[in-house]
Amino acid sequence: EATTPAPQPKTGAKTTGEKTTESTTIVPANKIENPVPNVHPVSLSITSERDLGGGITDGETAVFHAILILSDNSKKDVTDSVKWNVINKIGVFSAPGKLEAQLPPDYAELGVVTGAVYATFNGPDGKELNAASKAFDVHSYIPSDTNTQG
């Protein structure tokens, strides 16, 4: 009489008599660690290092920071990563966030010009976030020697 060879267990399988079973580890749902949440940019805001309520004078510098608010409510300074622009002809950026107040002659004649700065952040998903500062005044520079004729 011919005998049939016993089935060979698969790798990782346990053999009990003639039954072959796969070994599986079941982890209860309450023991599974949550993966790192997908933190992503939600909004952008601009802050100033000084109070601009009274404005600044032509020739002065104002320093701004672009703050990214993330989905987990954390904040990240992205001043060096955004594109900075001015609203109205109040000055130019000499470095990220560093506004040099410069009024063109035709604006300087007005005595005071109101403007603001804004920043654009391009997120990793291609989403663009924008923010603008509060409006502030840039005053024309008036030399203390008023006897000088120009």
PDB file of all heavy atoms in Angstrom, residues 1 5 10 17 27 56 58-59 66 74 82 91 93-94 134 149:
ATOM      1  N   GLU A   1       0.850  -1.169   0.000  1.00  0.00           N
ATOM      2  CA  GLU A   1       0.000   0.000   0.000  1.00  0.00           C
ATOM      3  C   GLU A   1       0.893   1.229   0.000  1.00  0.00           C
ATOM      4  O   GLU A   1       1.821   1.353   0.753  1.00  0.00           O
ATOM      5  CB  GLU A   1      -0.836  -0.079   1.279  1.00  0.00           C
ATOM      6  CG  GLU A   1      -2.026   0.742   1.263  1.00  0.00           C
ATOM      7  CD  GLU A   1      -2.821   0.548   2.543  1.00  0.00           C
ATOM      8  OE1 GLU A   1      -3.380  -0.552   2.784  1.00  0.00           O
ATOM      9  OE2 GLU A   1      -2.850   1.513   3.306  1.00  0.00           O
ATOM     10  N   PRO A   5       2.945  11.375   1.460  1.00  0.00           N
ATOM     11  CA  PRO A   5       3.750  12.141   2.411  1.00  0.00           C
ATOM     12  C   PRO A   5       2.902  13.203   3.100  1.00  0.00           C
ATOM     13  O   PRO A   5       1.977  13.755   2.518  1.00  0.00           O
ATOM     14  CB  PRO A   5       4.844  12.766   1.554  1.00  0.00           C
ATOM     15  CG  PRO A   5       4.383  12.676   0.145  1.00  0.00           C
ATOM     16  CD  PRO A   5       3.366  11.575   0.086  1.00  0.00           C
ATOM     17  N   LYS A  10       4.071  25.583   5.870  1.00  0.00           N
ATOM     18  CA  LYS A  10       4.555  26.803   5.220  1.00  0.00           C
ATOM     19  C   LYS A  10       5.471  27.529   6.196  1.00  0.00           C
ATOM     20  O   LYS A  10       5.364  27.354   7.397  1.00  0.00           O
ATOM     21  CB  LYS A  10       3.396  27.722   4.831  1.00  0.00           C
ATOM     22  CG  LYS A  10       2.465  27.120   3.815  1.00  0.00           C
ATOM     23  CD  LYS A  10       1.326  28.073   3.541  1.00  0.00           C
ATOM     24  CE  LYS A  10       0.317  27.435   2.602  1.00  0.00           C
ATOM     25  NZ  LYS A  10      -0.838  28.295   2.401  1.00  0.00           N
ATOM     26  N   GLY A  17      -0.342  18.169  14.801  1.00  0.00           N
ATOM     27  CA  GLY A  17      -0.815  16.912  14.222  1.00  0.00           C
ATOM     28  C   GLY A  17      -0.756  17.028  12.722  1.00  0.00           C
ATOM     29  O   GLY A  17       0.267  17.320  12.137  1.00  0.00           O
ATOM     30  N   VAL A  27      -3.478  42.591  17.046  1.00  0.00           N
ATOM     31  CA  VAL A  27      -3.251  43.679  17.990  1.00  0.00           C
ATOM     32  C   VAL A  27      -4.590  44.371  18.224  1.00  0.00           C
ATOM     33  O   VAL A  27      -5.248  44.787  17.269  1.00  0.00           O
ATOM     34  CB  VAL A  27      -2.219  44.701  17.435  1.00  0.00           C
ATOM     35  CG1 VAL A  27      -2.023  45.844  18.404  1.00  0.00           C
ATOM     36  CG2 VAL A  27      -0.910  44.005  17.118  1.00  0.00           C
ATOM     37  N   ILE A  56       5.903 105.444  10.449  1.00  0.00           N
ATOM     38  CA  ILE A  56       7.360 105.549  10.403  1.00  0.00           C
ATOM     39  C   ILE A  56       7.717 106.694   9.473  1.00  0.00           C
ATOM     40  O   ILE A  56       6.870 107.194   8.724  1.00  0.00           O
ATOM     41  CB  ILE A  56       8.035 104.231   9.953  1.00  0.00           C
ATOM     42  CG1 ILE A  56       7.578 103.817   8.551  1.00  0.00           C
ATOM     43  CG2 ILE A  56       7.783 103.116  10.946  1.00  0.00           C
ATOM     44  CD1 ILE A  56       8.307 102.591   8.008  1.00  0.00           C
ATOM     45  N   ASP A  58      10.109 108.382   6.402  1.00  0.00           N
ATOM     46  CA  ASP A  58      10.901 108.077   5.208  1.00  0.00           C
ATOM     47  C   ASP A  58      12.366 107.926   5.622  1.00  0.00           C
ATOM     48  O   ASP A  58      12.916 108.775   6.308  1.00  0.00           O
ATOM     49  CB  ASP A  58      10.733 109.213   4.194  1.00  0.00           C
ATOM     50  CG  ASP A  58      11.268 108.895   2.813  1.00  0.00           C
ATOM     51  OD1 ASP A  58      11.750 107.772   2.592  1.00  0.00           O
ATOM     52  OD2 ASP A  58      11.195 109.790   1.953  1.00  0.00           O
ATOM     53  N   GLY A  59      12.984 106.810   5.261  1.00  0.00           N
ATOM     54  CA  GLY A  59      14.364 106.533   5.626  1.00  0.00           C
ATOM     55  C   GLY A  59      14.508 105.560   6.783  1.00  0.00           C
ATOM     56  O   GLY A  59      15.567 104.991   6.998  1.00  0.00           O
ATOM     57  N   ALA A  66       6.656  86.844   8.917  1.00  0.00           N
ATOM     58  CA  ALA A  66       5.547  86.071   8.378  1.00  0.00           C
ATOM     59  C   ALA A  66       5.426  84.816   9.233  1.00  0.00           C
ATOM     60  O   ALA A  66       6.393  84.064   9.391  1.00  0.00           O
ATOM     61  CB  ALA A  66       5.807  85.698   6.926  1.00  0.00           C
ATOM     62  N   SER A  74       0.049  74.975  15.821  1.00  0.00           N
ATOM     63  CA  SER A  74       1.410  75.443  16.061  1.00  0.00           C
ATOM     64  C   SER A  74       1.717  76.561  15.067  1.00  0.00           C
ATOM     65  O   SER A  74       0.990  76.760  14.084  1.00  0.00           O
ATOM     66  CB  SER A  74       2.419  74.297  15.927  1.00  0.00           C
ATOM     67  OG  SER A  74       2.438  73.799  14.609  1.00  0.00           O
ATOM     68  N   VAL A  82       8.871  83.495   2.326  1.00  0.00           N
ATOM     69  CA  VAL A  82       7.741  84.105   1.617  1.00  0.00           C
ATOM     70  C   VAL A  82       8.224  85.168   0.639  1.00  0.00           C
ATOM     71  O   VAL A  82       9.356  85.651   0.724  1.00  0.00           O
ATOM     72  CB  VAL A  82       6.718  84.737   2.599  1.00  0.00           C
ATOM     73  CG1 VAL A  82       6.121  83.696   3.517  1.00  0.00           C
ATOM     74  CG2 VAL A  82       7.329  85.871   3.387  1.00  0.00           C
ATOM     75  N   GLY A  91       7.932 102.006   0.166  1.00  0.00           N
ATOM     76  CA  GLY A  91       9.305 101.570   0.397  1.00  0.00           C
ATOM     77  C   GLY A  91       9.654 100.320  -0.365  1.00  0.00           C
ATOM     78  O   GLY A  91       8.897  99.855  -1.218  1.00  0.00           O
ATOM     79  N   PHE A  93      11.858  96.326   0.090  1.00  0.00           N
ATOM     80  CA  PHE A  93      12.426  95.337   0.994  1.00  0.00           C
ATOM     81  C   PHE A  93      13.903  95.159   0.680  1.00  0.00           C
ATOM     82  O   PHE A  93      14.268  94.837  -0.448  1.00  0.00           O
ATOM     83  CB  PHE A  93      11.676  93.998   0.893  1.00  0.00           C
ATOM     84  CG  PHE A  93      10.373  94.016   1.619  1.00  0.00           C
ATOM     85  CD1 PHE A  93       9.193  94.314   0.959  1.00  0.00           C
ATOM     86  CD2 PHE A  93      10.322  93.759   2.980  1.00  0.00           C
ATOM     87  CE1 PHE A  93       7.994  94.356   1.639  1.00  0.00           C
ATOM     88  CE2 PHE A  93       9.127  93.801   3.669  1.00  0.00           C
ATOM     89  CZ  PHE A  93       7.957  94.091   3.003  1.00  0.00           C
ATOM     90  N   SER A  94      14.750  95.378   1.688  1.00  0.00           N
ATOM     91  CA  SER A  94      16.192  95.212   1.515  1.00  0.00           C
ATOM     92  C   SER A  94      16.629  93.799   1.901  1.00  0.00           C
ATOM     93  O   SER A  94      17.725  93.369   1.557  1.00  0.00           O
ATOM     94  CB  SER A  94      16.953  96.240   2.347  1.00  0.00           C
ATOM     95  OG  SER A  94      16.646  96.092   3.715  1.00  0.00           O
ATOM     96  N   LYS A 134      -1.429  95.371   8.946  1.00  0.00           N
ATOM     97  CA  LYS A 134      -2.353  96.486   9.130  1.00  0.00           C
ATOM     98  C   LYS A 134      -1.761  97.669   8.379  1.00  0.00           C
ATOM     99  O   LYS A 134      -0.545  97.808   8.267  1.00  0.00           O
ATOM    100  CB  LYS A 134      -2.505  96.833  10.613  1.00  0.00           C
ATOM    101  CG  LYS A 134      -3.217  95.777  11.413  1.00  0.00           C
ATOM    102  CD  LYS A 134      -3.370  96.212  12.864  1.00  0.00           C
ATOM    103  CE  LYS A 134      -4.082  95.150  13.668  1.00  0.00           C
ATOM    104  NZ  LYS A 134      -4.237  95.542  15.073  1.00  0.00           N
ATOM    105  N   GLN A 149      17.059 126.034   1.921  1.00  0.00           N
ATOM    106  CA  GLN A 149      16.148 126.099   0.792  1.00  0.00           C
ATOM    107  C   GLN A 149      16.499 124.988  -0.167  1.00  0.00           C
ATOM    108  O   GLN A 149      17.646 124.675  -0.389  1.00  0.00           O
ATOM    109  CB  GLN A 149      16.269 127.458   0.080  1.00  0.00           C
ATOM    110  CG  GLN A 149      15.797 128.599   0.952  1.00  0.00           C
ATOM    111  CD  GLN A 149      15.868 129.922   0.239  1.00  0.00           C
ATOM    112  OE1 GLN A 149      16.316 129.993  -0.906  1.00  0.00           O
ATOM    113  NE2 GLN A 149      15.436 130.961   0.899  1.00  0.00           N
TER     114      GLN A 149
END
